Amino acid sequence: MAPRTILIADDDAAHRRMLGAALESAGFACRFAADGEEAVRSATTTPPELLLLDVRMPRLDGIEALRRIAEELPALPVVIVTAHGDVRTAVEAMKLGARDFIEKPVDIDELRNVVQDILERPAPDKVDGGGETDEPRTLVGPSAAMAKVRQTVRLAAKSNATVLVHGESGTGKEVVARAIHDLSDRRTGPFVALNCAAVPEGLLESELFGHEKGAFTGAGARHAGRFEAAGGGTLLLDEIGEMRPPLQARLLRALQERSFERLGGTSPVHVDIRVVAATNRDLRADIAQKRFREDLYYRLAVVEIAMPPLRDRREDILPTAQHLLARLRPEARPRLTAEAAAGLTLHDWPGNVRELANVLERALLFAGTGDLAPEHLPPALRELCGREETPAGPPDATGVRPGVSLEAVERDLIEKTLRSLGGNRSRTAETLGLSRRALLYKLKRYGIR
Ligand SMILES: Nc1ncnc2c1ncn2[C@@H]1O[C@H](COP(=O)(O)OP(=O)(O)OP(=O)(O)O)[C@@H](O)[C@H]1O
Ligand SMILES: [Mg+2]
């Protein structure tokens, strides 16, 4: 078999030669380009099997070159070489369709692993005939916020980028992780989840990386960890914020080197996995308090997905309820009475979609084969069902509805204002007519980040 060709675009001749030597010694044939324009010309005239693209180059930088090449050769796998810690460029490149990125200084083993993984795995399906195979159907909701989540999931699925999903409990973080897996070219590989909070601290390391026989007291036969189990597929590290810093350091190394050693082992194990991490904690606050490593955060958050709580997207409540009902009783298609629907829409859902699913499951038990009515809902919700009949009805220009507590309105207003001002607290305080101190107090009181 003829060796596979890799085009290396880098303006630094010595670096170019170093990369070329590394790949040639792994059995690849290399071609070279000294700037972005040359890379575009060379790739589009005689497409290589893979393009390794430096970002900072004269005439045409790597991102712009990628944009042009992706238009003409959407199936060509491109690996971007970025400056260390330049996450923003990496994210942009992934969005433009780059398959992966490597940070400088380039680690030769990492480079070979990345290139081999890509060339051994078939390209993700391009939109085929039907065209809708890439729609994450499990993520329901017509709101703009959920549409954005679905779009990011689609983009993330096309690349190998690590994804960090954060959001309150029950917002669907695990649903997102599975959707990314199912839409990616790894879908035929395993999906493995590990809840970092559910494993006793002392066992987490061996649960992740596995151990050799007799590595520690009680370690019987050799045991493969979740990293190995997820080979060729996706690993969900749930509740990543609960991981202690020493293990965070090991995880970071494993992600960077794409290999690790089993406990008590001496030879590195290479793995081809995509990692999705999920958390309901505020990792930035944890970083400030030195509970979470900043470098690991940036490694994980190449693509970030924030799951919006249900109360911030009330237009999604009823469609989600219908989706859940159809899942709970596929044969019966149970219906909600108008009063029950009104109650569901007014509730604040601190437990988000999971709470909604639980409420519906319980209501189905009480309702038997009839429609779901207020009397089948828990008392707190039942009380909200009548509120719609109060005179003012639908929200007015301020977006406020009768039947909601003042506190809930205040919290909601503060949160939305803060978000619309990009998190700027001084301007938020000014807009709301509060002193900065008063705003900080309220942020703390309502647990708003
Ligand atoms: N947008 C959604 N559309 C449809 N179903 C959803 C959605 N979000 C969540 N669900 C459902 O809600 C339940 C909770 O979702 P999931 O387990 O993914 O939440 P989570 O964010 O991981 O919560 P936790 O932080 O408690 O682990 C699941 O049954 C899931 O199927
Ligand atoms: Mg979860």
Side-chain angles (χ1 to χ4, degrees), residues 73-116:
L73 300 166
L76 172 67
V78 178
V79 175
I80 287 278
V81 182
T82 64
H84 180 68
D86 185 2
V87 188
R88 212 182 291 168
T89 306
V91 172
E92 204 187 341
M94 292 295 188
K95 286 190 177 155
L96 288 170
R99 286 284 288 278
D100 213 332
F101 72 97
I102 298 180
E103 284 177 327
K104 283 181 179 174
V106 173
D107 177 281
I108 298 300
D109 287 328
E110 182 189 357
L111 173 67
R112 289 194 192 121
N113 288 339
V114 167
V115 167
Q116 259 148 6

Side-chain angles (χ1 to χ4, degrees), residues 137-141 146 149-150 165-177 195 236 238-239 278-280 307 310 313 316 319-320 323-324 327 351-358:
R137 287 174 210 283
T138 46
L139 290 160
V140 178
M146 281 309 289
V149 168
R150 285 191 294 270
V165 193
H166 50 91
E168 290 177 14
S169 186
T171 46
K173 296 186 292 294
E174 183 154 358
V175 180
V176 163
N195 184 336
L236 167 63
D238 211 348
E239 313 226 24
T279 182
N280 53 19
M307 295 305 292
L310 204 45
R313 45 186 185 98
D316 289 348
T320 307
H323 166 84
L324 295 168
R327 199 170 73 186
N352 294 295
V353 185
R354 179 175 297 116
E355 182 188 359
L356 177 59
N358 291 340

Side-chain angles (χ1 to χ4, degrees), residues 13-82:
H15 201 241
R16 213 156 56 216
R17 270 199 303 276
M18 189 274 281
L19 298 173
L23 290 169
E24 276 165 3
S25 72
F28 298 103
C30 295
R31 273 166 34 204
F32 301 93
D35 62 51
E37 272 182 18
E38 209 181 313
V40 175
R41 198 167 343 106
S42 173
T44 50
T45 328
T46 317
E49 254 112 332
L50 184 142
L51 168 61
L52 193 62
L53 195 55
D54 186 29
V55 172
R56 237 176 276 167
M57 289 186 293
R59 295 217 284 173
L60 193 65
D61 72 27
I63 293 293
E64 198 44 45
L66 171 62
R67 202 186 305 275
R68 294 193 199 171
I69 291 168
E71 250 172 46
E72 212 156 312
L73 300 166
L76 172 67
V78 178
V79 175
I80 287 278
V81 182
T82 64

Side-chain angles (χ1 to χ4, degrees), residues 244-262:
R244 302 285 110 224
L247 192 50
Q248 289 173 23
R250 248 206 106 181
L251 174 62
L252 175 66
R253 227 175 314 125
L255 292 175
Q256 272 166 346
E257 290 163 18
R258 293 164 211 247
S259 70
F260 60 90
E261 277 144 32
R262 298 189 195 100

Side-chain angles (χ1 to χ4, degrees), residues 346 387-388 390-395 400-404:
L346 288 174
R387 302 268 176 96
E388 268 281 289
T390 45
V400 176
R401 277 171 213 266
V404 183

